[in-house]
Amino acid sequence: MQEAQYDFLHGQTDRSDFFSPAMQQLCGIMKDNQVALPSDIGEGYFRYISPCPNIEMYICDVMFYRDTVLREQVYKDSFSVIFSLSDALEWKASGRNKKTMLEKGDCCVYGSGLFDAENIYEAGQRYIGVGLNLHPCRFRSVMDGLQKKKACTAFSGGKTPPKHRITATIEATIRQILQCNYNDCAKSLYQEGKILELVAAFANEMMDQNSVAVKGSLSWADSETLLRVRRQIDEGFLEPVTIAELSKQHFMCESKLREIFRKHYGITIYQYMLNRRMEHACELLSVPDAQVKDIAGLVGYSNISHFSDAFRKKFGCTPSEYKRSLPF
């Protein structure tokens, strides 16, 4: 893969990705700014949010036209939480061959120290990631708790960090932050509150004694099969497909597919399909004039009550309550 250097990202030799403090320089003095990729190299944006001191969030939603590597090199006194919302996020320590990959719905935590990484982007692939910095002067108790639970690792150590699944509560909070349409001081207040809510939800999940890291014991062949199955569901979740059909299409017996999918992703195939429909419903609800009854039909429900029940189980509120919470 060819390494690319872009002046719009960084003025020095090193490339800086969306988890770096250099993004704050890129975005200027504004507390919430978004920078689009130049149209000749890709699509999408990098975004930096800092509604108040010691609270920082980095967001990217990008697709490059050719294979690209962006390098980040910085010493951090904060912990970095990384959430993957796309098929995969991939990086490796500079000068090393071993890669770390977060699949969709995974998150991980790096402790403070030297962060020298090469973030890898394949041509034509969409990458959506959210980074959250936990500064010690504001989140010392959270950082101490993560260390005690061994939920994080130092990047400089070269070890693969423990991976955890993003819960429905965390996912819903991230979506609300991304969809905020408030202006000026109201926007900063909303973002600060929601980011603190996100930190609290994440800390609560990590401190839970029943919190389980994503298992990594699958063979390469089984991992590739699971990735293909999940991508098929992601791309066609509105079209009915049975687990028996999936097993035939991907040459794996039905019982094994059910078992390894549940063990690897923490939920059943059916629940994953349902979650994708509910996520799509969230996107549709963000349209100001959209009606709940119409959205129910669009995601495959003829009965609004059944749709509301499924949505409540996923996000803890009804579609109507969720829509009212959005800052239109």
Side-chain angles (χ1 to χ4, degrees), residues 183-202:
N183 295 313
D184 303 324
C185 63
K187 185 174 187 177
S188 293
L189 287 172
Y190 182 86
Q191 290 172 339
E192 180 181 356
K194 283 296 176 181
I195 291 175
L196 289 174
E197 181 181 336
L198 175 60
V199 174
F202 178 75

Side-chain angles (χ1 to χ4, degrees), residues 225-233 246 250 257 261:
T225 299
L226 278 188
L227 187 58
R228 290 195 299 270
V229 168
R230 185 174 58 78
R231 282 179 174 170
Q232 180 177 341
I233 296 172
L246 287 172
H250 297 279
L257 179 59
F261 193 100

Side-chain angles (χ1 to χ4, degrees), residues 80-120:
S80 296
V81 187
I82 305 171
F83 302 96
S84 176
L85 305 181
S86 58
D87 268 356
L89 295 177
E90 192 173 22
W91 64 88
K92 65 185 182 71
S94 297
R96 297 175 181 263
N97 294 323
K98 186 177 181 181
K99 299 177 182 179
T100 297
M101 185 179 75
L102 291 185
E103 296 184 28
K104 183 174 183 177
D106 286 352
C107 64
C108 70
V109 186
Y110 280 115
S112 56
L114 179 64
F115 196 88
D116 188 358
E118 295 176 0
N119 300 282
I120 303 165

Side-chain angles (χ1 to χ4, degrees), residues 20-55:
S20 170
M23 272 299 297
Q24 187 171 4
Q25 300 173 13
L26 164 66
C27 294
I29 61 173
M30 294 180 64
K31 294 182 178 179
D32 183 351
N33 200 13
Q34 184 170 300
V35 177
L37 286 182
S39 59
D40 61 326
I41 65 169
E43 303 172 9
Y45 64 87
F46 293 92
R47 184 180 176 191
Y48 169 80
I49 299 175
S50 181
C52 64
N54 303 312
I55 292 183

Side-chain angles (χ1 to χ4, degrees), residues 128-302:
I128 308 174
V130 174
L132 187 64
N133 281 353
L134 304 181
H135 291 273
C137 58
R138 186 70 181 269
F139 300 109
R140 171 56 67 186
S141 60
V142 176
M143 295 167 68
D144 290 344
L146 291 172
Q147 285 185 315
K148 185 176 181 180
K149 288 285 292 183
K150 297 182 179 180
C152 61
T153 188
F155 186 86
S156 57
K159 296 181 179 179
T160 300
K163 301 176 186 178
H164 307 273
R165 297 301 294 171
I166 298 174
T167 64
T169 300
I170 291 173
E171 182 182 342
T173 306
I174 291 175
R175 289 184 179 277
Q176 289 168 356
I177 295 171
L178 299 182
Q179 294 167 354
C180 175
N181 291 321
Y182 285 173
N183 295 313
D184 303 324
C185 63
K187 185 174 187 177
S188 293
L189 287 172
Y190 182 86
Q191 290 172 339
E192 180 181 356
K194 283 296 176 181
I195 291 175
L196 289 174
E197 181 181 336
L198 175 60
V199 174
F202 178 75
N204 183 63
E205 294 295 337
M206 292 300 100
M207 304 312 160
D208 184 353
Q209 293 299 322
N210 296 319
S211 177
V212 180
V214 175
K215 303 297 183 183
S217 58
L218 291 178
S219 68
W220 179 88
D222 287 348
S223 295
E224 288 295 304
T225 299
L226 278 188
L227 187 58
R228 290 195 299 270
V229 168
R230 185 174 58 78
R231 282 179 174 170
Q232 180 177 341
I233 296 172
D234 288 342
E235 294 170 1
F237 58 89
L238 295 179
E239 300 296 328
V241 61
T242 66
I243 298 174
E245 290 171 336
L246 287 172
S247 67
K248 290 179 181 179
Q249 292 169 10
H250 297 279
F251 307 102
M252 179 178 287
C253 71
E254 186 174 340
S255 60
K256 181 178 179 180
L257 179 59
R258 288 177 182 271
E259 180 182 1
I260 67 173
F261 193 100
R262 179 181 56 80
K263 287 184 177 179
H264 189 69
Y265 293 117
I267 58 175
T268 65
I269 296 176
Y270 171 77
Q271 187 61 52
Y272 186 83
M273 294 177 178
L274 181 61
N275 285 350
R276 290 296 292 116
R277 293 189 177 195
M278 294 301 102
E279 291 163 8
H280 186 55
C282 276
E283 296 173 358
L284 297 175
L285 285 167
S286 66
V287 179
D289 296 330
Q291 300 296 314
V292 173
K293 62 179 181 180
D294 297 330
I295 292 173
L298 290 172
V299 296
Y301 285 85
S302 58

